[in-house]
Amino acid sequence: MEALHVYDTTLRDGAQQEGLNLSVSDKLAIAALLDDLGVDFIEGGWPGANPKDTEFFDRARRELSLRRATLAAFGATRRAGGDAATDPLVQALVDSEASVVCLVAKSHTGHVERALRTTLEENLEMVRDTVSHLVGRGRRVFLDCEHFFDGWHLDRDYALSVVRTAHEAGAEVVVLCDTNGGMLPHQVEEVVADVIASTGARVGAHCHNDTGCAAANSVAAVRAGATHVQGTVNGYGERTGNADLLTVAANLQFKLGLDAMEHDSFARAMHVAHAISEVTNVPAYSRQPYVGASAFAHKAGLHASALKVDPDLYQHMDPALVGNGMRTLVSDMAGRASIELKAREAGLDLSDRPDVVAAVLAEVKDLELRGWTFDAADATVELMLREALEPGCTDYFEVESWRVITDSSGSGDATSEATVKLRADGSRLIATGEGNGPVNALDHALREALTRAYPEIEKIELIDFKVRILDASHGTDAVTRVLIETSDGETSWDTIGVAGSILAASWRALTDGIVHGLLRQGVPRR
């Protein structure tokens, strides 16, 4: 089998996702992360088609030092009736100085005749002329056959003729695209096997996720003989997205035993997936296979009992291989084993403290009856465990009081001012903070006060804030649940607060987030 190509198209096809807009600097940052991940090719965009992508290739030449990956430029075959040597968009591909060019071509007779508005013969000539011209200019050429699977079912002979033409003209790989995303794995296997047997070309697969089968279809293509897979990190892309390249690569590596990427690269997979989420400003999907925060999270007490004996009993692989880790979720479904496993994750040994386990378990079940939920609040659970094991260990400060005032100018805008009174480091600390909302003002005031006693707090920041109204039928009198995510710039943690007042719930989650951050840094109580 030829060496497998892992080809990333996050910067081009992934950027077509609704609501995802990447600047040139964003694309450069993502390209560096993809190179660190260890993909073989990074498709940077379509130079000549838009100024942003042209600028990307210009800056990439000066600013990117790729260690593993090869940068590829995307483009199209020459115009109908033209000449590749004089086509300005083909010349832009050459000017990009990318050593690899990935061309898109029509392989569906309906698209040739109705979208390109040319003849089937001219379309073949467009493929032949453009591929041979770029090969002659020293470029490695891949050809994406758009709508190939649908085209094969409509007119197999013509679809195969496009593959043969590209192959004979010098295309290194001919990529079969499920552009509409409507195929199923058995259909992909049938078509890929037929193409390889009929043409002798090296074949790749580019799958979209409209049936929810993009990753499975990509694996099916490789099983049928494809040696090149395309996809996007986190499955970005238009409509329902492209094949998630991390899922595909991990399946090929760990389930089929193929060398998709180096093992040390996979150990960075979760970090890279989440770092790219930060750049794109698209929240990470917690249930994403392999690299999602919940990919190896276990909730039910029955699972926890088995995991305590052997983690492999309820996990399909070691999560460390993809940079992830096992998590035990604590809830009203938890048993003693769940509490012990959660403590172990925090570096606490409760094996000889059944009293602590029983106390925390009883507290969890009681709080969940009142609207608390700890599935997404690991930091709050850890604080409960530490306090039960060593009372007073989380007492970094004593709260005397806090209050918030919100003023409106009458124009609809409103500003908030919060005052907090605390005791820490042997002193009474009073601080006032302003913000664009009451929680923002409380956050500023809390930090202003605590920085005097704990300057380490400057590393800690609130990065996400979620509110859910419980018992909504009670209207404005309903109980409120607040989840807050806090970060120290390297990792993040989640805390929860539940109360009849949104501010009281927010205050609990805020203070827990700060305390957990100080504990993580090993800051002593003062």
Side-chain angles (χ1 to χ4, degrees):
M1 181 178 180
E2 295 172 290
L4 188 66
H5 287 174
V6 175
Y7 183 107
D8 181 273
T9 181
T10 302
L11 303 182
R12 200 273 308 173
D13 216 7
Q16 297 186 51
Q17 176 167 311
E18 183 178 6
L20 198 160
N21 296 290
L22 300 176
S23 67
V24 175
S25 295
D26 290 337
K27 295 181 68 166
L28 290 167
I30 291 172
L33 288 165
L34 291 170
D35 182 50
D36 187 49
L37 177 64
V39 302
D40 297 305
F41 300 93
I42 300 170
E43 189 172 81
W46 191 335
N50 66 73
K52 185 187 294 185
D53 285 357
T54 302
E55 181 186 348
F56 168 79
F57 282 95
D58 179 57
R59 288 182 58 183
R61 287 195 298 271
R62 294 180 280 110
E63 300 175 31
L64 272 185
S65 297
L66 300 178
R67 295 174 299 139
R68 302 168 184 246
T70 299
L71 200 60
F74 180 84
T77 55
R78 66 152 171 87
R79 294 183 178 90
D83 178 22
T86 58
D87 190 294
L89 287 179
V90 175
Q91 184 58 41
L93 295 171
V94 176
D95 294 341
S96 74
E97 298 185 23
S99 61
V100 174
V101 172
C102 186
L103 295 170
V104 63
K106 302 294 185 184
S107 55
H108 183 295
T109 56
H111 281 267
V112 173
E113 295 171 335
R114 297 198 297 275
L116 283 183
R117 297 183 180 180
T118 190
T119 64
L120 302 182
E121 294 74 18
E122 172 62 7
N123 181 59
L124 294 178
E125 185 55 35
M126 291 160 62
V127 171
R128 181 181 297 108
D129 183 22
T130 311
V131 171
S132 60
H133 172 73
L134 288 170
V135 170
R137 296 298 299 270
R139 302 303 189 266
R140 298 171 65 185
V141 178
F142 303 159
L143 186 89
D144 281 359
C145 287
E146 192 179 37
H147 297 280
F148 185 85
F149 291 90
D150 295 310
W152 184 91
H153 283 98
L154 178 67
D155 188 332
R156 172 182 174 273
D157 290 342
Y158 186 76
L160 291 175
S161 71
V162 175
V163 176
R164 288 194 191 94
T165 299
H167 177 56
E168 292 166 1
E172 183 177 326
V173 181
V174 180
V175 183
L176 313 183
C177 301
D178 183 19
T179 310
N180 289 343
M183 294 296 113
L184 297 175
H186 70 281
Q187 296 171 309
V188 170
E189 284 202 13
E190 177 190 6
V191 173
V192 170
D194 179 53
V195 171
I196 293 172
S198 302
T199 66
R202 179 172 187 173
V203 167
H206 176 112
C207 301
H208 285 252
N209 202 38
D210 298 74
T211 61
C213 292
N217 286 342
S218 300
V219 172
V222 173
R223 280 174 47 83
T227 55
H228 172 112
V229 287
Q230 296 189 359
T232 62
V233 169
N234 300 329
Y236 298 141
E238 62 183 342
R239 304 188 312 276
T240 59
N242 289 42
D244 185 334
L245 197 63
L246 292 173
T247 301
V248 173
N251 282 337
L252 296 176
Q253 184 95 9
F254 299 112
K255 304 304 180 182
L256 294 186
L258 302 176
D259 291 326
M261 295 190 299
E262 297 175 3
H263 273 276
D264 66 328
S265 297
F266 277 104
R268 294 187 290 274
M270 185 176 184
H271 164 73
V272 170
H274 286 244
I276 290 176
S277 291
E278 291 297 318
V279 177
T280 62
N281 200 30
V282 176
Y285 178 46
S286 64
R287 294 193 291 139
Q288 184 178 354
Y290 291 101
V291 298
S294 299
F296 298 93
H298 308 276
K299 181 173 180 177
L302 180 63
H303 286 208
S305 297
L307 288 166
K308 185 180 174 184
V309 177
D310 182 355
D312 291 340
L313 291 175
Y314 274 99
Q315 294 185 161
H316 68 97
M317 65 175 290
D318 179 1
L321 293 173
V322 288
N324 208 336
M326 187 186 81
R327 293 169 55 230
T328 305
L329 305 180
V330 173
S331 72
D332 60 350
M333 299 171 63
R336 291 177 178 269
S338 295
I339 301 299
E340 289 186 38
L341 283 170
K342 175 55 66 179
R344 192 182 301 170
E345 289 174 22
L348 305 173
D349 184 6
L350 299 184
S351 58
D352 60 348
R353 294 297 304 273
D355 56 323
V356 172
V357 173
V360 173
L361 183 58
E363 185 179 5
V364 166
K365 291 181 180 292
D366 178 60
L367 288 173
E368 291 229 352
L369 281 174
R370 291 187 274 145
W372 294 67
T373 179
F374 298 99
D375 288 4
D378 283 355
T380 298
V381 176
E382 183 177 334
L383 292 179
M384 292 167 59
L385 288 164
R386 290 187 179 278
E387 188 63 30
L389 191 60
E390 184 185 346
C393 71
T394 63
D395 294 341
Y396 278 88
F397 51 89
E398 179 185 347
V399 179
E400 183 178 311
S401 67
W402 57 267
R403 68 177 181 181
V404 182
I405 300 172
T406 300
D407 291 320
S408 173
S409 63
S411 63
D413 293 331
T415 58
S416 296
E417 179 183 288
T419 301
V420 299
K421 300 178 182 180
L422 311 170
R423 291 186 180 276
D425 198 18
S427 302
R428 187 169 185 256
L429 307 173
I430 303 175
T432 299
E434 293 183 333
N436 57 12
V439 177
N440 185 228
L442 271 176
D443 185 37
H444 287 170
L446 180 62
R447 292 168 188 281
E448 177 67 24
L450 287 177
T451 299
R452 304 172 203 172
Y454 301 104
E456 298 88 349
I457 203 173
E458 292 184 1
K459 297 180 180 179
I460 301 170
E461 64 173 334
L462 188 158
I463 61 174
D464 199 8
F465 175 80
K466 301 186 182 86
V467 178
R468 182 178 176 187
I469 304 301
L470 308 177
D471 300 322
S473 60
H474 288 204
T476 56
D477 192 36
V479 173
T480 303
R481 178 193 297 155
V482 170
L483 283 168
I484 285 180
E485 185 177 2
T486 310
S487 174
D488 58 6
E490 297 181 3
T491 186
S492 65
W493 53 92
D494 299 285
T495 52
I496 186 174
V498 176
S501 160
I502 186 174
L503 292 181
S506 300
W507 177 258
R508 170 64 188 269
L510 271 174
T511 54
D512 276 3
I514 295 293
V515 169
H516 191 269
L518 294 173
L519 277 169
R520 288 182 72 91
Q521 295 183 53
V523 177
R525 299 191 304 280
R526 299 175 186 135

